[in-house]
Amino acid sequence: MTQTKQPLLHVENLKQHFKISRKFTTKAVDGISFDIYEGETYGLVGESGSGKSTTGRALIRLYDPTDGKIIFDGHDISGKLSKEDESFLRTNMQMIFQDPMACLNPRRKVSQIIAEGLEIHHLCKSKKEVDEKVSRILDKVGLSAEQGTRFPHQFSGGQRQRVGIARALVMNPKLVIADECISALDVSIQAQVVNMMKDLQDELGTTYLFIAHDLSMVKYISDRIGVMHLGHIVETGTTDEIFENPIHPYTKSLLSAIPHPNPVVEKKRVAITYDKDAQGVDYTKGTQHWLSDTHYVLATDEEFEKWNSK
Amino acid sequence: METVKRNKNDRVLYIRDLNISFKTAYGTVRAIRGVRLDLFKGETIAIVGESGSGKSVTVKTIMGILDSNGVIDSGQIVYHYTDKDGVEQEVDLVKMSQKDIRYKLCGKHIAMVFQDPMTSLDPTMTIGKQIMEPMREHYKISKEEAKTRVLKLLEEVGIDNPDKRFKQYPHELSGGMRQRVVIAIALACDPDVLICDEPTTALDVTIQAKILELIKDIQNKKGISVIYITHDLGVVAKVADYVAVMYAGRIVEKGKINEVFYDPRHPYTWGLLSSMPDTDTNSRRLFAIPGSPPNLMERVEGDAFALRNPYALNIDYKEEPPMYDVGGQHRVASWLADPRAPKVQLPAELVEKLEKMKKEAFKDDTN
Ligand SMILES: Nc1ncnc2c1ncn2[C@@H]1O[C@H](COP(=O)(O)OP(=O)(O)OP(=O)(O)O)[C@@H](O)[C@H]1O
Ligand SMILES: Nc1ncnc2c1ncn2[C@@H]1O[C@H](COP(=O)(O)OP(=O)(O)OP(=O)(O)O)[C@@H](O)[C@H]1O
Ligand SMILES: [Mg+2]
Ligand SMILES: [Mg+2]
């Protein structure tokens, strides 16, 4: 992939802090930078509490970012939003959530839920056009017209997740943020949903920000990956770079913790532990050290020297 | 790796021909259909299978917490233990009232860890108190003695500063920490069977690895038997000695972990193993088992998996297959295991995957 073209999403030094009390602030996201290019999938991984969801929510402007710049398809969406920018954002960026049941109105039929966004943003000229779009997207995500007339609770988990995806994709967004959208599903259904997301990407050219803690699935779906820890992106690179040549000790420990379905190997393997404080690592002191034009590690010069030589 | 010898005298629990159904407004759901399973002392078994296949119902029955609309239609769950006077006891849980099971056995002899730690902790009580209470009731010990034990237990489950943690409330702890507290509560009365229903799905891989190692550790020290329910085959590979694969209320394949993982015999198990993305292939598409599981409200004709099974034989649509012995501990409920069945070729990608797994697993043995 050539990196010379304009990214669809450019994030620079994004910070999202939460003031908990007068004395205490949680720095959920503390100065992260990355780009996402059109048509690709960028995976964001990291342990619980590392700031992945907060990043997603800040991008789609459920929060007001504390600091930093977000350029989305040429629009600066980091500060106060103008009316046009707001409407551009609401129609072109969509989010799919972890628990589909929690965000689907139980009293509305699935087809109504999917049509909601189109109606709110007046994206169609007529009711007929709305209906057509809804039935086309239902078909794309593998649900029948009859299923469109059912209520969310009448579906299995995997089917509900399809509804969530249909609702996001019917808007024909440029960017979809998928936050742990398959974590609650079991393996065989995860595979169905991931395959479907890939097919839709091939067909519609949608760009994904795929947030998850299951690294094997992230590896499978992503072109590039960002590894987050405590509000910082400690390493980013193409999927191959991250899996074949991880540099940051946190990335290494994360990769070593993935259980493999191979009993003999798995029973002998011990995960690599990483203790940032014991190793004296301070993320705010690190800078981006580039290994290729796609792969960087957050480190001080000495840390980089040390980590890269092993 | 030494595995547990599955010797009849060391059997802690056995389930025979268990059938359970639920009465609902729309009809009867036949959730468990003829489950047979053994649990031996010191052994870890894993139950895997698609959502809705009956994993939780099976273990809830053991715990005496079957939902009130559930009925045990037939079967036996025999539990063997030593009571507090040192006398060996054998009881059929199916014949006991749910209340009796909970009062006499749960927490003390059989304990359970649930998926979401927050639902099994009381938000208004300090964690110290939550661990101490069942302990004091069971052992009839003083507050001081109980506290000493709790602090030791907290340390055992890997919680630092037990003194300080003792006084904290659940919301003040991180997810991984809370799950450790839940494990501590489960272990408070030294049970001999520990049941973990998706204990780590809510946790990320790093914490998950630590919790799994913790349970293994405790098991080695105390010789308890563990039943894991999970849909993560990586977790199964890591912890289990023995595995049972469930589909639509039945166990369709079971055996020692290596038998099932390196030589799977049931088409559903093939599907499960194929759909797991493994970190070292770069194939473009994941394998997905087509279709969805059958509605257990309707009578299942023949093999419940037949409609999703590309290898289905004619008989699969007519008659339910019996459990075939395919050597060792390995059993499979599939007509393909019948000597009269045609030989089928596994999907090529799976064959390749299995070969690779075996090569990686046994590479040290060949040289
Ligand atoms: N609205 C909020 N107010 C205060 N603190 C918050 C808020 N949202 C998130 N946080 C804190 O910010 C940190 C990052 O949380 P976030 O939800 O982004 O993590 P995550 O990486 O998505 O984790 P998980 O994998 O568990 O979903 C956590 O310490 C969390 O407690
Ligand atoms: N109280 C109930 N009333 C009616 N049906 C029930 C009840 N409890 C469980 N069932 C049904 O019994 C079947 C088995 O459910 P169970 O909870 O054991 O599945 P599971 O294998 O644990 O799935 P999961 O992986 O989603 O937890 C399902 O079809 C479920 O809908
Ligand atoms: Mg999150
Ligand atoms: Mg369950």
Side-chain angles (χ1 to χ4, degrees):
Chain A
M1 170 173 320
T2 56
Q3 303 284 311
T4 44
K5 60 180 180 191
Q6 282 291 315
L8 174 67
L9 182 79
H10 171 73
V11 178
E12 201 177 309
N13 195 31
L14 177 69
K15 292 187 181 169
Q16 185 71 57
H17 295 177
F18 297 106
K19 210 172 157 106
I20 304 295
S21 66
R22 213 152 9 108
K23 280 193 237 115
F24 193 70
T25 303
T26 301
K27 298 180 175 175
V29 175
D30 202 22
I32 61 170
S33 306
F34 62 96
D35 289 328
I36 304 182
Y37 294 87
E38 187 137 12
E40 74 168 348
T41 300
Y42 187 76
L44 202 54
V45 299
E47 67 188 36
S48 183
S50 55
K52 307 180 297 291
S53 299
T54 305
T55 302
R57 293 202 202 102
L59 294 177
I60 203 165
R61 290 301 304 273
L62 290 174
Y63 301 136
D64 290 326
T66 311
D67 194 12
K69 213 185 221 169
I70 310 169
I71 310 289
F72 176 46
D73 202 20
H75 299 246
D76 183 338
I77 54 163
S78 35
K80 193 167 168 358
L81 294 171
S82 70
K83 233 185 167 146
E84 294 103 86
D85 287 343
E86 164 113 39
S87 133
F88 178 78
L89 175 64
R90 295 287 159 243
T91 49
N92 286 294
M93 200 191 281
Q94 293 291 322
M95 194 150 172
I96 310 172
F97 296 91
Q98 167 162 12
D99 180 4
M101 203 50 189
C103 55
L104 300 179
N105 184 340
R107 277 182 295 276
R108 302 201 74 187
K109 289 187 184 134
V110 157
S111 55
Q112 292 174 322
I113 292 174
I114 296 172
E116 228 162 59
L118 294 174
E119 283 161 357
I120 293 172
H121 296 283
H122 310 290
L123 293 183
C124 298
K125 286 183 207 70
S126 63
K127 177 88 179 62
K128 189 161 156 274
E129 198 187 333
V130 172
D131 291 344
E132 274 170 17
K133 282 203 166 153
V134 170
S135 77
R136 215 174 315 136
I137 201 76
L138 274 173
D139 185 50
K140 280 223 173 77
V141 300
L143 296 172
S144 67
E146 179 271 322
Q147 286 172 318
T149 66
R150 295 199 209 162
F151 293 93
H153 68 89
Q154 292 167 314
F155 286 98
S156 73
Q159 288 170 328
R160 258 182 243 142
Q161 201 51 278
R162 287 163 189 262
V163 175
I165 292 170
R167 188 177 64 158
L169 290 179
V170 77
M171 306 287 288
N172 200 13
K174 291 186 191 300
L175 178 68
V176 171
I177 300 175
D179 188 2
E180 307 271 8
C181 73
I182 51 165
S183 314
L185 308 173
D186 61 61
V187 225
S188 55
I189 300 172
Q190 280 186 356
Q192 288 180 5
V193 172
V194 165
N195 281 339
M196 188 194 76
M197 286 177 70
K198 275 198 154 178
D199 290 346
L200 291 168
Q201 181 170 50
D202 289 345
E203 200 183 323
L204 308 169
T206 321
T207 309
Y208 293 123
L209 172 61
F210 190 84
I211 299 175
H213 61 240
D214 177 351
L215 276 130
S216 40
M217 213 37 111
V218 171
K219 167 168 189 200
Y220 182 72
I221 197 169
S222 307
D223 300 300
R224 292 189 304 126
I225 293 175
V227 180
M228 261 190 108
H229 192 215
L230 301 173
H232 296 266
I233 289 187
V234 297
E235 183 162 5
T236 188
T238 63
T239 302
D240 278 346
E241 284 165 338
I242 294 294
F243 274 82
E244 303 307 325
N245 185 28
I247 303 293
H248 200 285
Y250 180 67
T251 311
K252 288 183 183 165
S253 87
L254 208 56
L255 294 180
S256 80
I258 309 173
H260 297 268
N262 191 343
V264 172
V265 178
E266 194 51 42
K267 291 218 165 63
K268 287 189 227 149
R269 216 170 49 88
V270 208
I272 302 170
T273 53
Y274 167 62
D275 185 340
K276 151 177 166 301
D277 298 324
Q279 299 189 17
V281 178
D282 180 352
Y283 292 148
T284 58
K285 293 214 175 77
T287 54
Q288 295 176 1
H289 284 70
W290 291 84
L291 290 112
S292 72
D293 50 359
T294 47
H295 188 184
Y296 82 70
V297 184
L298 182 72
T300 61
D301 292 344
E302 301 91 77
E303 281 163 2
F304 183 71
E305 185 105 335
K306 192 166 85 196
W307 297 339
N308 195 25
S309 62
K310 273 188 249 167
Chain B
M1 180 192 60
E2 86 280 22
T3 49
V4 176
K5 291 198 187 61
R6 308 192 97 219
N7 198 328
K8 239 193 183 120
N9 301 328
D10 296 331
R11 208 160 52 184
V12 182
L13 188 87
Y14 63 91
I15 302 177
R16 290 290 174 273
D17 307 309
L18 188 66
N19 285 284
I20 297 175
S21 54
F22 291 99
K23 304 272 177 278
T24 72
Y26 304 100
T28 304
V29 180
R30 295 199 53 210
I32 303 295
R33 306 180 303 128
V35 163
R36 176 192 176 108
L37 192 65
D38 292 335
L39 177 67
F40 291 84
K41 189 167 165 26
E43 164 182 70
T44 302
I45 68 175
I47 306 180
V48 296
E50 200 147 328
S51 185
S53 58
K55 308 180 295 289
S56 296
V57 170
T58 306
V59 295
K60 277 184 178 169
T61 314
I62 301 174
M63 292 293 291
I65 49 172
L66 191 61
D67 292 342
S68 58
N69 62 334
V71 183
I72 302 177
D73 299 316
S74 60
Q76 272 184 304
I77 304 177
V78 177
Y79 174 52
H80 186 108
Y81 68 105
T82 312
D83 70 11
K84 56 175 183 288
D85 306 318
V87 183
E88 298 218 352
Q89 300 279 0
E90 199 163 86
V91 290
D92 184 352
L93 302 180
V94 169
K95 296 212 180 79
M96 284 171 79
S97 74
Q98 300 245 331
K99 216 171 109 204
D100 263 2
I101 298 179
R102 289 202 299 266
Y103 185 70
K104 292 197 182 125
L105 301 175
C106 287
K108 306 176 180 99
H109 295 283
I110 308 175
M112 184 150 168
V113 174
F114 294 90
Q115 170 164 2
D116 180 7
M118 222 37 196
T119 57
S120 35
L121 290 174
D122 182 343
T124 65
M125 224 197 266
T126 63
I127 60 162
K129 199 157 173 212
Q130 294 191 50
I131 308 174
M132 213 157 77
E133 285 210 332
M135 203 183 246
R136 285 192 62 196
E137 201 187 296
H138 180 54
Y139 289 112
K140 310 265 179 296
I141 49 177
S142 71
K143 221 171 164 170
E144 289 68 45
E145 193 182 344
K147 183 163 180 187
T148 321
R149 285 202 200 182
V150 171
L151 293 178
K152 187 161 162 272
L153 193 56
L154 283 175
E155 210 175 304
E156 269 175 11
V157 299
I159 290 182
D160 52 345
N161 293 321
D163 274 319
K164 188 173 137 227
R165 301 291 181 198
F166 190 88
K167 290 180 232 121
Q168 286 189 309
Y169 290 89
H171 71 262
E172 296 175 272
L173 306 178
S174 74
M177 206 80 97
R178 273 184 221 137
Q179 195 57 294
R180 284 167 198 255
V181 172
V182 173
I183 292 171
I185 294 177
L187 295 174
C189 302
D190 291 308
D192 34 39
V193 177
L194 179 66
I195 301 174
C196 305
D197 193 349
E198 309 265 5
T200 57
T201 9
L203 306 174
D204 62 73
V205 281
T206 26
I207 299 172
Q208 167 178 296
K210 286 190 199 128
I211 298 272
L212 296 177
E213 274 156 27
L214 165 74
I215 296 176
K216 190 100 218 162
D217 236 34
I218 289 170
Q219 182 178 24
N220 288 342
K221 269 188 232 150
K222 309 199 166 175
I224 56 181
S225 312
V226 181
I227 303 178
Y228 266 102
I229 294 183
T230 173
H231 60 238
D232 187 333
L233 298 179
V235 170
V236 176
K238 189 176 174 75
V239 300
D241 304 309
Y242 187 89
V243 58
V245 182
M246 278 189 88
Y247 187 78
R250 280 195 90 190
I251 291 177
V252 294
E253 179 159 9
K254 58 187 177 179
K256 291 226 207 67
I257 178 92
N258 292 2
E259 292 171 336
V260 175
F261 271 59
Y262 298 126
D263 184 22
R265 297 296 182 93
H266 197 284
Y268 176 65
T269 316
W270 298 345
L272 267 189
L273 287 169
S274 306
S275 56
M276 178 102 183
D278 67 76
T279 46
D280 37 45
T281 55
N282 288 309
S283 64
R284 180 68 200 138
R285 279 189 80 75
L286 277 177
F287 175 82
I289 301 172
S292 47
N295 182 351
L296 294 177
M297 208 97 84
E298 283 148 26
R299 227 186 89 77
V300 177
E301 290 286 348
D303 183 344
F305 189 59
L307 289 172
R308 305 172 73 186
N309 180 5
Y311 302 94
L313 308 170
N314 275 333
I315 189 162
D316 275 305
Y317 298 97
K318 296 186 195 110
E319 222 176 302
E320 196 143 55
M323 195 58 97
Y324 289 94
D325 181 339
V326 287
Q329 305 274 338
H330 202 170
R331 306 285 179 272
V332 60
S334 161
W335 287 114
L336 291 177
D338 192 279
R340 289 161 298 178
K343 292 278 158 283
V344 300
Q345 195 61 47
L346 263 63
E349 284 193 11
L350 181 60
V351 172
E352 199 184 310
K353 202 170 185 171
L354 293 174
E355 281 310 316
K356 214 160 92 196
M357 273 166 60
K358 279 187 271 194
K359 216 159 114 199
E360 203 186 338
F362 304 110
K363 62 174 175 246
D364 301 336
D365 302 357
T366 48
N367 53 24

